[in-house]
Amino acid sequence: MDDNEFENAGEFVPTRFLADDGGAKGTEGNFKWMPFGGGVSMCSGRHFANYHVKIFLTTLLTNFKFSVDADKSRLPITVGNINRGFGLRRPKGDLYVKVTRK
């Protein structure tokens, strides 16, 4: 980094690019989180990364069984009123899951 552009350019300052609202500086508006960028500078490895996430999830779901831990979770499981997107709602209270190999 250039000392003419950044104060203490040679030091590691993890909050250097954070805005006051916790987002990144220069990303005001609707585009606060764009994991692969956009336009001309869009990440060329985005398809590769998405493909590997799909492989990971497929492998995980194929080789493991997921079930609610009835001993630790409060039953019956109820959901809250806040929609988390994609029709998902967060359960009220803690939800413990058992993961076992198939």
Side-chain angles (χ1 to χ4, degrees), residues 37-96:
V40 177
S41 63
M42 186 170 268
C43 178
S44 59
R46 68 190 182 278
H47 299 297
F48 182 72
N50 281 328
Y51 177 71
H52 278 274
V53 168
K54 290 177 185 176
I55 289 174
F56 171 74
L57 289 175
T58 302
T59 304
L60 197 67
L61 295 172
T62 301
N63 294 313
F64 294 92
K65 179 183 175 187
F66 297 86
S67 59
V68 175
D69 187 348
D71 297 332
K72 293 183 179 180
S73 298
R74 185 174 26 172
L75 298 176
I77 298 167
T78 57
V79 295
N81 295 329
I82 299 172
N83 189 349
R84 300 287 178 192
F86 303 107
L88 300 176
R89 292 188 179 177
R90 187 176 182 168
K92 289 183 181 178
D94 293 331
L95 178 65
Y96 293 91

Side-chain angles (χ1 to χ4, degrees), residues 16-37:
R16 184 187 313 266
F17 301 106
L18 287 180
D20 292 335
D21 66 352
K25 285 183 183 175
T27 59
E28 292 77 18
N30 294 329
F31 302 101
K32 288 196 177 204
W33 189 68
M34 294 181 64
F36 298 115

